[in-house]
Amino acid sequence: MSSTAKGSAKATVTVTLDGSNRSTTLPLVSGTIGPDVVDIRKLYGDLGVFTFDPGYGATASCESRITYIDGDAGVLLYRGYPIEQLAEQSDFLEVAYLLLEGDLPTPAQFDTFSRGVTRHTMVHEQIRRFYDGFRRDAHPMAILCGVVGALSAFYHDSIDINDPKQREIAAFRLIAKVPTIAAWAYKYSIGQPFMYPRNDLGFAENFLYMLNAVPAEPWQNNPILSRAMDRILVLHADHEQNASTSTVRLAGSTGANPFACIAAGIAALWGPAHGGANEAVLKMLAEIGKPENIPAFIREVKDKQSHTKLMGFGHRVYKNFDPRAKIMKETCHEVLAELGIKDEPLLDMAMEMERIALEDDYFVSRKLYPNVDFYSGIILKAMGIPTSMFTVLFAVARTVGWVSQWKEMVEDPSQRIGRPRQLYTGATERDYRPISDRG
Ligand code: CMC
């Protein structure tokens, strides 16, 4: 741990190399909650060995004060506050402040922060032209990734990562502009005019407005739907060192500018094992077609040769239940009731699938439970959001988490470039032979 770390060394772990008389004593460091970590930084120097942990399942890659997960107990805390309380009582913009600044805002702080975000919702007018370069059938994640990366070509006054003011402006810009860029990616794909942001609306309302409104007609906000959208954004806002956040931190550790780092995070989020899962859940349910086909699908999932996964199930960290999934399920019922959807075959299928899977030894023994994405897709579909936009929406929410984690890393004086090592299993040194001597 760094010298500035809050974590405290309370004990030691001694590692001895069998068959030699070499050993080293390593500090065991405690955080405020969660498992202790063994600080292995001097292991290579003392014993000449690395640690091996593909997938980083047993590695704390950094020290962080932002988000805490207890996967066994199904606990998720943002800056110490339980996700259930935030989803129920707070809203996305306040959660954004909390993640970035470390505490809930006073009314005056919140006012300044909201104005900071809303002042940056528009994008440079020339960015509109980028869209014309994309095919109409481009996946909106492809557009989002490209256009967010391109922000660094426009906002030269907020890419000096060593200037705290510039970091703050970059944070505002990213949180404010990503929804605009995301909504325009959708509008482009359906050939409708881009809707400029409206700063008189709340964050979630404005996003729904930019997605659904058209210039020819007045737009009516539905408070139940904007509340549901806000809750989806809160639930997805951060999730400690997941694949996309680790990508943002790794890219940022090189000193790359924040817009480039967030574009890297968007790319990592896209995969079906990560943020792409909400889209994959709906595809899976559509392919299964009807409840009678569920048992056959479950058999296929259990057959390892098939490489079929039950999308929306399982999590690297949650091995009991995903607290976000519980809130999503409730929200799903609220949204369907508001929209008067009494009979939604996809929801019926999802609930039947959940029931069967939770009784099946394959899933029970592997501690596989529904994750946040199992129900979010059904909510979004009911709200009229197209499937291809699901992961984009996840990116809109996660941008604040990425930015908070990036900022924390840049401000950590002990920060170094991320540079993992490897267990090399390739050829040992050999001499080059001219092609005429080969074969
Ligand atoms: N369906 C069927 N089997 C599964 C699933 C699943 N969804 N997830 C894990 N398993 C099996 C896996 O094959 C392995 O079996 P065995 O021990 O026989 O080899 C066992 O459960 C342990 O799984 P793992 O692969 O070690 O788990 P992991 O921590 O590496 O992967 C995961 C976590 C989320 C990538 C994986 O569960 C998965 O692919 N789930 C489906 C995709 C999904 O819903 N992703 C969204 C995650 S939540 C949103 C986010 O944070 O991005």
Side-chain angles (χ1 to χ4, degrees), residues 239 242 269 272-275 277 281 301 304 308-317 319 322 324 362-363 366 368 371-373 394 398:
H239 215 228
N242 57 83
L269 186 76
H274 192 7
V281 169
V301 167
K304 290 281 171 192
T308 305
K309 285 244 161 92
L310 176 46
M311 300 314 283
F313 258 67
H315 199 273
R316 168 59 61 82
V317 182
K319 300 298 177 195
D322 178 341
R324 302 169 301 171
Y362 175 93
F363 297 94
R366 287 171 179 75
L368 300 172
N371 59 47
V372 66
D373 288 327
F394 193 156
R398 188 56 59 85

Side-chain angles (χ1 to χ4, degrees), residues 407-424:
K407 191 167 158 281
E408 182 181 67
M409 183 198 66
V410 171
E411 289 169 5
D412 179 352
S414 68
Q415 186 269 322
R416 301 167 74 199
I417 185 170
R419 179 41 171 107
R421 303 306 299 261
Q422 62 173 5
L423 173 67
Y424 177 70

Side-chain angles (χ1 to χ4, degrees), residues 186-366:
Y186 170 54
K187 288 295 194 191
Y188 182 74
S189 73
I190 55 169
Q192 283 187 1
F194 294 169
M195 298 302 288
Y196 285 92
R198 268 185 53 190
N199 292 347
D200 60 321
L201 299 175
F203 192 92
E205 284 163 16
N206 174 50
F207 185 45
L208 284 172
Y209 164 80
M210 289 189 292
L211 282 174
N212 296 327
V214 287
E217 284 174 20
W219 179 78
Q220 193 61 46
N221 176 43
N222 177 327
I224 303 244
L225 299 192
S226 46
R227 179 78 192 113
M229 174 60 77
D230 192 86
R231 195 171 282 176
I232 292 174
L233 297 175
V234 167
L235 294 181
H236 286 87
D238 195 45
H239 215 228
E240 52 120 303
Q241 307 312 319
N242 57 83
S244 56
T245 302
S246 297
T247 302
V248 170
R249 278 188 178 257
L250 193 57
S253 78
T254 69
N257 77 68
F259 304 108
C261 295
I262 301 308
I266 292 168
L269 186 76
W270 195 354
H274 192 7
N278 49 14
E279 183 176 345
V281 169
L282 274 227
K283 279 193 184 140
M284 174 189 76
L285 292 174
E287 272 164 33
I288 298 170
K290 43 189 180 188
E292 301 88 277
N293 298 338
I294 295 175
F297 179 76
I298 297 276
R299 276 197 299 282
E300 186 182 323
V301 167
K302 287 156 66 174
D303 172 11
K304 290 281 171 192
Q305 303 305 319
S306 76
H307 300 291
T308 305
K309 285 244 161 92
L310 176 46
M311 300 314 283
F313 258 67
H315 199 273
R316 168 59 61 82
V317 182
Y318 295 119
K319 300 298 177 195
N320 182 331
F321 68 95
D322 178 341
R324 302 169 301 171
K326 229 165 119 186
I327 307 168
M328 273 300 173
K329 191 173 175 178
E330 285 163 24
T331 309
C332 189
H333 285 287
E334 273 169 38
V335 167
L336 295 184
E338 167 64 17
L339 294 173
I341 304 175
K342 292 205 176 54
D343 193 21
E344 168 53 69
L346 286 178
L347 180 64
D348 296 343
M349 289 247 301
M351 291 204 312
E352 180 62 1
M353 185 96 98
E354 184 181 358
R355 190 189 64 73
I356 295 178
L358 294 182
E359 285 172 359
D360 191 304
D361 185 57
Y362 175 93
F363 297 94
V364 174
S365 63
R366 287 171 179 75

